[in-house]
Amino acid sequence: FWFKGFEDKSTHSFLYRPLVDKFRKPPLFVRAHSGPTSFFDGSYNPEVQYWTAKGFFVAEVNYGGSSGFGKVYRERLNYKWGIVDSYDCNALVLELIKLDLVDSEKVVIFGNSAGGLTALNCLSYGSIFTAAICKYPVIDLKDMHYNTHRFEKDYLNSLVGDYEKNHDSYICRSPKNRINKIKKPILLFHGKKDSVISYEQTLKIKEILIRNNKYSEVIFFENEGHGFKNIETKEEVLKKSMQFLKNALNI
């Protein structure tokens, strides 16, 4: 049973109402896509259906820089990755709260890879989000500059700027360097065979996260890389995520 939801063209986002009424007002599950210049197209996604079946309102945000909405919109992210993307996610949440569609005290943001940077920065910039769930997140732009795979070599020159001239931007927009400012629960997943973003980056912030943030957890998978393939892993991610949100959102 699949409920597609609807596209909000004013924000370039896809919104999915809950399939069941489990709450007086539904919690909000915001999804920030990876890329970060990719996009959501509203196509079927079993994870979205999982969360709507649990009573969540799901929003897929095509923040500034997303492809498919014209050159000007795509170029909104130039030199502003880590700023525009987080701002647009915040703006959508505020609009949904204003429309009285979701519970303002139960807002979680999800992102994998580049979307993880967006999600973690959303928590460090303000208080609107209650928690975050990330898979193999980008947390250190400096490390990404030096170690990213060859297909994305120099990609950051347009997203953040030339490294030598914009070194401070690489530092201040990296979640790794803002992690002590985050006091909200975070759940992180990372595969130890990830050749794009080393799991050791996530390992470096594990102790800080768990010490500073109640309910936070970091989970590693021995045989997964950048993008989880095994069905058992995907099931474990959903199971752990639901357990995490029951505690973090008090549901």
Side-chain angles (χ1 to χ4, degrees):
F1 180 48
W2 174 41
F3 179 66
K4 183 178 183 298
F6 56 97
E7 181 182 4
D8 181 354
K9 293 186 178 180
S10 65
T11 60
H12 299 304
S13 302
F14 287 93
L15 308 176
Y16 303 83
R17 297 183 185 275
L19 292 174
V20 295
D21 295 323
K22 294 185 64 174
F23 307 97
R24 183 184 64 82
K25 194 178 294 185
L28 174 60
F29 196 97
V30 176
R31 303 183 76 235
H33 64 70
S34 58
T37 55
S38 183
F39 64 98
F40 288 119
D41 62 4
S43 59
Y44 174 78
N45 187 306
E47 288 191 20
V48 170
Q49 306 315 308
Y50 174 86
W51 292 110
T52 56
K54 296 295 183 181
F56 283 74
F57 190 114
V58 178
E60 294 182 324
V61 188
N62 281 316
Y63 49 77
S66 301
S67 299
F69 305 101
K71 181 180 178 181
V72 173
Y73 195 76
R74 164 61 191 85
E75 291 180 346
R76 278 189 64 213
L77 199 64
N78 285 2
Y79 312 114
K80 296 292 180 65
W81 183 32
I83 299 175
V84 166
D85 46 322
S86 297
Y87 176 88
D88 284 357
C89 288
N90 273 275
L92 178 63
V93 172
L94 290 172
E95 184 64 22
L96 293 175
I97 291 173
K98 180 181 177 181
L99 293 172
D100 201 31
L101 293 174
V102 298
D103 189 336
S104 63
E105 296 183 356
K106 293 179 173 59
V107 181
V108 58
I109 185 165
F110 169 86
N112 44 318
S113 193
L117 179 138
T118 300
L120 293 175
N121 278 343
C122 278
L123 261 65
S124 67
Y125 289 152
S127 59
I128 191 170
F129 289 95
T130 314
I133 300 175
C134 302
K135 294 188 290 189
Y136 35 89
V138 173
I139 63 172
D140 188 348
L141 291 172
K142 178 181 176 181
D143 180 78
M144 188 177 184
H145 166 74
Y146 283 112
N147 298 311
T148 191
H149 55 90
R150 64 189 178 93
F151 294 109
E152 293 189 353
K153 187 178 185 298
D154 298 326
Y155 191 26
L156 294 181
N157 287 352
S158 64
L159 294 172
V160 185
D162 176 83
Y163 181 74
E164 299 302 327
K165 296 179 181 179
N166 298 275
H167 181 262
D168 288 348
S169 294
Y170 281 75
I171 301 303
C172 71
R173 296 187 207 170
S174 296
K176 169 189 172 183
N177 301 316
R178 307 175 63 87
I179 210 69
N180 272 311
K181 296 182 179 180
I182 299 177
K183 304 301 179 184
K184 302 295 182 67
I186 297 174
L187 176 61
L188 299 183
F189 300 98
H190 212 134
K192 289 190 174 182
K193 291 186 176 181
D194 193 332
S195 59
V196 179
I197 303 171
S198 173
Y199 81 94
E200 293 180 357
Q201 293 300 318
T202 297
L203 187 62
K204 289 177 182 178
I205 66 171
K206 176 181 178 180
E207 184 178 338
I208 299 173
L209 273 181
I210 295 175
R211 181 179 69 240
N212 290 358
N213 309 307
K214 188 177 181 181
Y215 303 129
S216 291
E217 188 175 1
V218 180
I219 298 172
F220 296 104
F221 295 105
E222 294 290 337
N223 296 309
E224 292 287 1
H226 197 73
F228 299 155
K229 304 299 183 183
N230 298 322
I231 186 64
E232 295 83 3
T233 301
K234 295 179 180 180
E235 291 175 350
E236 183 71 5
V237 167
L238 289 176
K239 178 181 176 182
K240 289 290 187 180
S241 296
M242 191 68 246
Q243 292 174 348
F244 167 74
L245 292 180
K246 284 181 178 178
N247 291 321
L249 303 184
N250 191 28
I251 56 177

